[in-house]
Amino acid sequence: MPSLFFAVLSEAKPWIQKTNAKPVHHSGKFRIYKNDSIYIIISGIGKMAMALAVSEFAHLLPKEERDKMKVWNLGIAGSNQPNWKVGEFFWIHKITDFATGKDFYPERMTKSVFPMETNLTTFDRPIAKTTTENQFQVFSETDLQSVSLVDMEGSGFFEAASLYFPLENISIGKVISDHLEGNFCKPETVESIVTNVMEPLFFEWTHPLPWVMEDPFETKIWPDIWKEVKELRLTETMKHDLKKSLRYYFLRYPNTNIPMPNLEIVPKIKSKSEVKTFVEEWKKQLHV
């Protein structure tokens, strides 16, 4: 059973109508729609709202169901690339949270009718290249030099989803709605843009995950690696981040041996700062 997260109703409405999903009555804050085989969740605007919606939804499900669930975030995004057209769809392979500078790396979508992928930068406020009456946060071309697409939810979605769902089950896709002119999109425009890319995405979203019956990373690779480094006594956060980085490399390069540090030095590492340095240097190798 797949799940699909949107920020606003206008993004979700075409999908709700297509699936005939009905509201789920629950004690939580966020709107959840469901039919016999899918979930659609509307979070509201902003990365915090999205992260809370992911968390609330995840706590409604048993871990066994989450482990087999495809989890997507779709929606509109502004483009800093003038040659990219409104309505073009991109899969996201890197997310940068502008406020914190933190990067996230979703699994690359290798089989899709939409072949283009790019990076996404999540901002805390709507942004624009020029000043308008809407008082968006204004950035110059120099400020946006490394930015391709922008939104306000992507980093919150991915950071929260990766806590509850296997990394390889999570994907983010964005369709261009504007070129940062500083104007809000009308709901009917958003619905039209989303509808135009919905049909092929619907098939890909509802297609079962190929690995739900077997996860070699979880059953073999990670347990073997953990045996080698467990005496480092990593914190739960460090262990979680390292495991995510290892899985990221495994998914991106399935036919390549995972880079390993010099394990002979593990018994010699004693201080917390040495442990942190050891893990950070290892993660750098995994995110090449």
Side-chain angles (χ1 to χ4, degrees):
M1 179 179 287
S3 59
L4 188 54
F5 286 80
F6 294 99
V8 294
L9 178 60
S10 55
E11 295 173 328
K13 187 175 180 180
W15 289 79
I16 293 171
Q17 293 173 336
K18 180 175 178 61
T19 59
N20 198 31
K22 303 300 182 184
V24 174
H25 298 289
H26 65 110
S27 60
K29 174 182 178 181
F30 302 97
R31 286 181 286 180
I32 300 175
Y33 296 79
K34 181 180 182 294
N35 69 14
D36 291 338
S37 59
I38 63 95
Y39 287 100
I40 295 173
I41 302 94
I42 303 174
S43 69
I45 296 173
K47 65 185 183 186
M48 182 63 72
M50 179 61 76
L52 290 172
V54 172
S55 177
E56 180 175 286
F57 174 69
H59 281 94
L60 298 176
L61 308 172
K63 185 177 185 301
E64 294 76 14
E65 186 174 347
R66 298 200 308 267
D67 286 347
K68 298 180 180 180
M69 176 174 284
K70 189 179 292 186
V71 187
W72 284 13
N73 166 226
L74 300 179
I76 61 171
S79 171
N80 186 43
Q81 306 298 322
N83 295 328
W84 293 354
K85 299 177 182 178
V86 170
E88 287 190 304
F89 182 88
F90 291 81
W91 293 110
I92 304 303
H93 62 248
K94 178 183 177 183
I95 308 164
T96 298
D97 187 294
F98 182 80
T100 65
K102 193 171 183 179
D103 294 328
F104 306 92
Y105 297 90
E107 178 196 359
R108 304 189 86 132
M109 187 68 72
T110 57
K111 295 181 180 179
S112 174
V113 69
F114 294 103
M116 295 186 293
E117 59 180 14
T118 190
N119 63 72
L120 175 72
T121 304
T122 297
F123 290 83
D124 290 340
R125 290 175 53 192
I127 72 165
K129 292 182 177 179
T130 57
T131 302
T132 69
E133 62 182 10
N134 291 319
Q135 298 183 341
F136 285 19
Q137 188 171 0
V138 178
F139 288 90
S140 67
E141 291 286 354
T142 302
D143 295 330
L144 300 174
Q145 191 170 8
S146 62
V147 173
S148 292
L149 299 183
V150 306
D151 83 336
M152 295 177 62
E153 292 80 31
S155 64
F157 167 79
F158 189 82
E159 187 166 18
S162 64
L163 295 176
Y164 300 104
F165 300 90
L167 187 63
E168 66 269 29
N169 294 18
I170 304 168
S171 297
I172 298 182
K174 298 292 178 178
V175 57
I176 294 176
S177 59
D178 61 90
H179 290 91
L180 308 182
E181 296 94 346
N183 299 313
F184 291 108
C185 291
K186 296 180 179 179
E188 57 268 26
T189 301
V190 175
E191 290 180 30
S192 176
I193 291 172
V194 170
T195 300
N196 287 340
V197 298
M198 182 175 62
E199 286 300 329
L201 284 174
F202 180 81
F203 174 78
E204 295 178 11
W205 176 57
T206 54
H207 191 73
L209 290 165
W211 50 79
V212 294
M213 301 305 293
E214 180 180 0
D215 185 355
F217 180 86
E218 197 68 40
T219 60
K220 175 64 176 173
I221 296 173
W222 169 247
D224 287 349
I225 291 176
W226 181 241
K227 288 179 184 178
E228 299 289 343
V229 299
K230 64 181 180 180
E231 65 181 281
L232 288 173
R233 301 183 183 277
L234 303 180
T235 65
E236 284 300 313
T237 299
M238 293 175 69
K239 180 180 176 181
H240 175 75
D241 287 347
L242 176 61
K243 187 177 180 181
K244 283 201 302 182
S245 296
L246 288 163
R247 187 185 283 277
Y248 165 81
Y249 189 93
F250 170 69
L251 292 171
R252 190 172 185 186
Y253 306 106
N255 299 317
T256 303
N257 291 331
I258 294 177
M260 297 292 292
N262 179 10
L263 297 175
E264 293 181 358
I265 69 172
V266 169
K268 303 176 184 178
I269 297 176
K270 302 299 181 183
S271 69
K272 291 183 179 179
S273 61
E274 290 175 330
V275 171
K276 184 176 181 180
T277 299
F278 178 85
V279 172
E280 291 301 319
E281 289 299 318
W282 190 0
K283 287 167 62 178
K284 288 178 182 179
Q285 298 179 57
L286 299 170
H287 287 286
V288 294

